[in-house]
Amino acid sequence: MSVNKPSVFIIGGGASGIMAALSARFKGADVTILERNPRVGKKILATGNGRCNFTNVNTDVTCFSGENPDFVYGALSAFNVARTMGFFEKLGIVPKVEDMGKVFPMSDQASSLLDVLLYELNHRGVKIVCNAFVKNIKRNKGKFIIVLEDSRSFKADRIILACGGKALPSSGSDGSGYELARGFGHTIVDIFPALVQVKLEGNFFKQIDGVKFVGSCE
């Protein structure tokens, strides 16, 4: 580890963790991703039914809801749709826009997008530690002490929590990141599902698996 570079550890190697790692590396930090799964980017492969709709050309502040709308303005101004598409184009992902503004890689394969991200992480010198489930983080003399489930530990100048929510426990998004955040005094608002299944009776639903339509709550 270079004495001239701050060490930044990213907790979680999903889409947000990978992007955070690259951003920190572009700023000159010494970056390490800690991922609890055997590989990073697991959930990316499931995005868009395996095709990865990585942005939407119609994205604006009206697409979001929450108690802090200022956050959305800041995030979109820092990395808007044009910058998102440009970023991936530089990595070699040719985008194609489909119905309702959804943007997919021309290959129609989520794996192609993950492959270029993994190449960029390696090319930029980002270290990746897999099978690394973070159980506890403490502060000690200006450093963060990260302790894994298997008792391994790391020291960091900065940490970024990118653990995901609680939407897909099988991918690692089981809510454990909330407890790490609470440990530093952060307040967690009540969570609830944004997307849920509709369960119906019948024996023909397997044949229409993946079919989408625009619904209404009215």
Side-chain angles (χ1 to χ4, degrees), residues 52-120:
C52 193
N53 50 318
F54 60 93
T55 190
N56 191 299
V57 297
N58 298 320
T59 300
D60 61 30
V61 295
T62 64
C63 299
F64 299 85
S65 61
E67 297 178 358
N68 183 16
D70 289 341
F71 169 80
V72 178
Y73 282 102
L76 290 182
S77 63
F79 205 72
N80 58 22
V81 175
R83 289 194 63 187
T84 300
M85 294 176 68
F87 172 83
F88 283 104
E89 284 190 86
K90 287 181 179 179
L91 296 186
I93 294 296
V94 178
K96 65 172 179 175
V97 181
E98 296 190 359
D99 62 296
M100 301 179 68
K102 292 177 287 188
V103 182
F104 294 88
M106 188 65 72
S107 66
D108 272 336
Q109 296 292 324
S111 58
S112 63
L113 190 138
L114 178 56
D115 285 345
V116 298
L117 288 174
L118 291 175
Y119 174 84
E120 189 71 4

Side-chain angles (χ1 to χ4, degrees), residues 185-201:
H186 292 289
T187 300
I188 308 300
V189 300
D190 292 336
I191 60 173
F192 56 87
L195 295 173
V196 296
Q197 295 176 326
V198 176
K199 295 185 177 181
L200 304 172
E201 294 183 358

Side-chain angles (χ1 to χ4, degrees), residues 21-200:
L22 289 173
S23 296
R25 190 72 184 111
F26 293 157
K27 295 291 186 180
D30 186 82
V31 182
T32 302
I33 295 175
L34 299 179
E35 168 56 45
R36 66 185 296 178
N37 288 308
R39 62 175 299 182
V40 299
K42 181 178 180 180
K43 198 156 54 175
I44 292 175
L45 298 177
T47 305
N49 289 327
R51 297 172 58 215
C52 193
N53 50 318
F54 60 93
T55 190
N56 191 299
V57 297
N58 298 320
T59 300
D60 61 30
V61 295
T62 64
C63 299
F64 299 85
S65 61
E67 297 178 358
N68 183 16
D70 289 341
F71 169 80
V72 178
Y73 282 102
L76 290 182
S77 63
F79 205 72
N80 58 22
V81 175
R83 289 194 63 187
T84 300
M85 294 176 68
F87 172 83
F88 283 104
E89 284 190 86
K90 287 181 179 179
L91 296 186
I93 294 296
V94 178
K96 65 172 179 175
V97 181
E98 296 190 359
D99 62 296
M100 301 179 68
K102 292 177 287 188
V103 182
F104 294 88
M106 188 65 72
S107 66
D108 272 336
Q109 296 292 324
S111 58
S112 63
L113 190 138
L114 178 56
D115 285 345
V116 298
L117 288 174
L118 291 175
Y119 174 84
E120 189 71 4
L121 289 172
N122 181 66
H123 176 65
R124 298 292 178 177
V126 174
K127 293 177 285 294
I128 300 174
V129 182
C130 293
N131 297 308
F133 182 31
V134 176
K135 292 293 291 184
N136 192 21
I137 304 174
K138 301 177 181 179
R139 290 293 301 271
N140 182 30
K141 297 180 180 179
K143 296 280 188 178
F144 291 95
I145 310 300
I146 305 167
V147 181
L148 304 187
E149 187 177 45
D150 60 10
S151 299
R152 284 179 292 169
S153 63
F154 303 87
K155 288 184 179 180
D157 295 310
R158 300 286 187 271
I159 59 171
I160 298 175
L161 293 181
C163 309
K166 202 174 181 179
L168 191 61
S170 62
S171 72
S173 296
D174 60 359
S176 58
Y178 295 134
E179 297 308 313
L180 295 176
R182 283 193 182 97
F184 286 99
H186 292 289
T187 300
I188 308 300
V189 300
D190 292 336
I191 60 173
F192 56 87
L195 295 173
V196 296
Q197 295 176 326
V198 176
K199 295 185 177 181
L200 304 172

